[in-house]
């Protein structure tokens, strides 16, 4: 059996304190009993399960929602105690009975949750003793629970201090590890930078050597192409021209192509056109002289024939 005791004030007697005790088996929906005491007198009453269902139907509420509202109003289950109001009135037909009602307040609007008829208890001292015993038992229970919570709080405090110390150690270890890793990273980074600079210098040297070799090869090819042309220009005759026409020499470009390499693709040899022009002029002169000789031979033959004819 569950019991709840709370202190209330009734609207019909402002300032007067009453103690309300509610007792139930399973929940308030299965029925409950009400005891009311002002310190001198006591009243008691009961609410059956049928009455609870009837009140829920009259308020047009679901039964479970109505039971929850009763629990908050009568057992102080609600956080806002000012949301409920209580009233106590005497029964005109019976001076020994009181009419106890409880209502819900919503913005100065009162909704009646229910009521119960209370009858005077012949021995109110017994009710007062039960209220005192319930208060003492509840106080002892709360004290034990408080001590338990204090012990848990102390234990959690010790664990918190231990975890805080361990966390500080981990933070220090992390900072040391970060510093060590950063130092190693800087060393590795500097080594990589030095190696990159070394490779860049080697690459630059290799490029300079390749450019120098290409320039040297280009100069050599130019000199080789000029030398045969100058020899032909200085020592050429008509017979040599004829022999050259019958047995042509390999050209300068052919000799250069024999030693062609991929690195020579970017080289463009400049050929000397002056000796070729001079040889062409000499050849033209030779052809003119031959033509003159051919014209002279027929003239000589004609003159001979003219000389012979008178003699005949």
């Amino acid at each position: 059996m569950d019991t709840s005791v709370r202190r209330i004030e009734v609207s019909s007697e402002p300032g007067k304190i009453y103690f309300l005790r509610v007792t139930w088996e399973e929940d308030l929906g299965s029925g409950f009993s009400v005891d009311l005491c002002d310190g001198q007198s006591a009243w008691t009453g009961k609410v059956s399960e049928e009455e609870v269902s009837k009140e829920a139907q009259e308020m047009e509420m679901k039964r479970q929602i109505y039971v929850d509202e009763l629990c908050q109003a009568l057992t102080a289950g609600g956080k806002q105690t000012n949301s409920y109001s209580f009233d106590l009135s005497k029964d005109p037909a019976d001076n020994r009975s009181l009419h106890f009602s409880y209502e819900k307040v919503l913005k100065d609007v009162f909704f009646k949750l229910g009521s119960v008829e209370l009858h005077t208890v012949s021995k109110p001292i017994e009710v007062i003793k039960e209220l005192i015993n319930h208060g003492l038992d509840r106080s002892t229970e709360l004290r034990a629970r408080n001590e338990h919570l204090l012990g848990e709080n102390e234990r959690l405090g010790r664990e918190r201090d231990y975890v805080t110390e361990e966390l500080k150690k981990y933070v220090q270890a992390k900072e040391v590890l970060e510093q060590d890793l950063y130092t190693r990273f800087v060393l590795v980074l500097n080594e990589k930078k030095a190696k990159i600079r070394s490779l860049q210098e080697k690459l630059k040297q290799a490029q300079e050597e390749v450019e120098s070799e290409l320039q040297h090869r280009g100069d050599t090819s130019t000199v080789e192409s000029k030398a045969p042309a100058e020899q032909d220009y200085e020592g050429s005759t008509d017979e040599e021209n004829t022999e050259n026409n019958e047995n042509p020499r390999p050209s300068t470009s052919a000799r250069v192509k024999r030693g062609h390499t991929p690195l020579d693709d970017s080289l463009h040899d400049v050929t000397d056109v002056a000796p070729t022009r001079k040889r062409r002029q000499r050849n033209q002169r030779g052809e003119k002289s031959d033509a003159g000789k051919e014209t002279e031979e027929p003239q000589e033959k004609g003159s001979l024939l003219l000389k012979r004819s008178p003699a005949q």
Side-chain angles (χ1 to χ4, degrees):
M1 181 178 290
D2 296 328
T3 302
S4 172
V5 177
R6 62 172 300 185
R7 183 177 58 186
I8 63 172
E9 293 182 3
V10 296
S11 58
S12 59
E13 298 179 11
K16 189 174 182 179
I17 302 299
Y18 288 87
F19 298 95
L20 176 65
R21 182 178 69 172
V22 180
T23 306
W24 66 93
E25 292 290 341
E26 296 178 1
D27 59 2
L28 296 180
S30 60
F32 55 93
S33 62
V34 177
D35 296 323
L36 188 65
C37 179
D38 60 357
Q40 297 177 356
S41 302
W43 299 267
T44 184
K46 290 184 179 181
V47 179
S48 64
E49 184 175 357
E50 290 77 10
E51 292 176 348
V52 172
S53 301
K54 183 179 178 181
E55 291 289 345
Q57 291 177 0
E58 291 180 356
M59 295 191 65
E60 297 180 355
M61 295 176 63
K62 292 183 178 180
R63 185 176 182 276
Q64 186 60 42
I65 297 176
Y66 177 72
V67 171
D68 293 339
E69 290 290 342
L70 286 179
C71 181
Q72 294 179 4
L74 300 177
T75 64
K79 296 181 180 180
Q80 296 179 356
T81 57
N82 294 329
S83 299
Y84 300 93
S85 175
F86 304 95
D87 192 13
L88 188 64
S89 61
K90 293 181 180 181
D91 189 355
D94 187 1
N95 294 328
R96 299 182 61 184
S97 300
L98 296 176
H99 185 75
F100 180 69
S101 61
Y102 32 91
E103 301 172 341
K104 184 174 183 179
V105 181
L106 292 176
K107 294 182 179 180
D108 298 333
V109 179
F110 296 86
F111 296 92
K112 184 178 179 181
L113 293 176
S115 62
V116 59
E117 292 293 332
L118 301 178
H119 303 282
T120 304
V121 178
S122 59
K123 294 182 180 181
I125 190 65
E126 298 294 332
V127 176
I128 296 172
K129 287 181 180 179
E130 291 176 0
L131 292 175
I132 294 173
N133 290 332
H134 177 78
L136 294 175
D137 294 339
R138 185 63 176 169
S139 177
T140 303
E141 181 183 353
L142 292 176
R143 187 180 290 109
R145 185 178 179 183
N146 189 27
E147 291 177 357
H148 174 72
L149 292 177
L150 288 175
E152 289 292 325
N153 191 20
E154 291 178 359
R155 182 180 62 82
L156 293 175
R158 291 192 297 268
E159 291 181 358
R160 182 198 60 188
D161 296 337
Y162 173 77
V163 171
T164 303
E165 294 296 330
E166 291 295 322
L167 184 61
K168 290 181 180 179
K169 293 180 182 178
Y170 292 150
V171 171
Q172 293 177 357
K174 181 183 74 69
E175 292 177 353
V176 173
L177 181 60
E178 287 180 351
Q179 185 64 29
D180 186 23
L181 292 176
Y182 180 75
T183 303
R184 294 183 182 181
F185 171 75
V186 170
L187 293 176
V188 173
L189 182 62
N190 291 336
E191 291 179 358
K192 295 298 182 182
K193 287 183 178 180
K195 191 169 183 179
I196 291 172
R197 287 194 295 268
S198 176
L199 292 175
Q200 288 178 346
E201 293 177 356
K202 290 182 179 179
L203 179 61
K204 185 177 180 180
Q205 292 177 359
Q207 290 176 349
E208 292 177 354
E209 292 178 358
V210 170
E211 291 177 357
S212 177
E213 185 175 356
L214 291 176
Q215 184 178 3
H216 177 70
R217 288 184 181 181
D219 296 340
T220 304
S221 300
T222 305
V223 171
E224 290 179 356
S225 63
K226 287 182 179 180
E230 291 177 356
Q231 292 177 0
D232 292 341
Y233 175 74
E234 291 176 356
S236 63
T237 60
D238 295 339
E239 295 178 355
E240 290 174 353
N241 290 334
T242 304
E243 292 177 357
N244 289 333
N245 292 329
E246 294 177 356
N247 298 319
R249 294 182 182 180
S251 63
T252 304
S253 61
R255 289 196 301 270
V256 172
K257 287 183 179 180
R258 290 172 188 164
H260 178 75
T261 61
L263 296 176
D264 296 333
D265 291 340
S266 61
L267 298 177
H268 299 283
D269 296 337
V270 180
T271 57
D272 189 0
V273 297
T276 304
R277 189 182 296 112
K278 292 178 181 180
R279 284 198 300 270
R280 190 183 300 114
Q281 292 176 358
R282 288 198 301 270
N283 290 334
Q284 291 176 357
R285 292 176 183 176
E287 291 175 358
K288 291 180 180 181
S289 61
D290 293 338
K293 290 179 181 181
E294 291 178 357
T295 54
E296 289 177 359
E297 288 179 359
Q299 291 177 359
E300 289 177 358
K301 290 179 180 181
S303 62
L304 290 176
L305 290 174
L306 291 174
K307 289 179 180 182
R308 289 178 182 177
S309 59
Q312 292 178 353

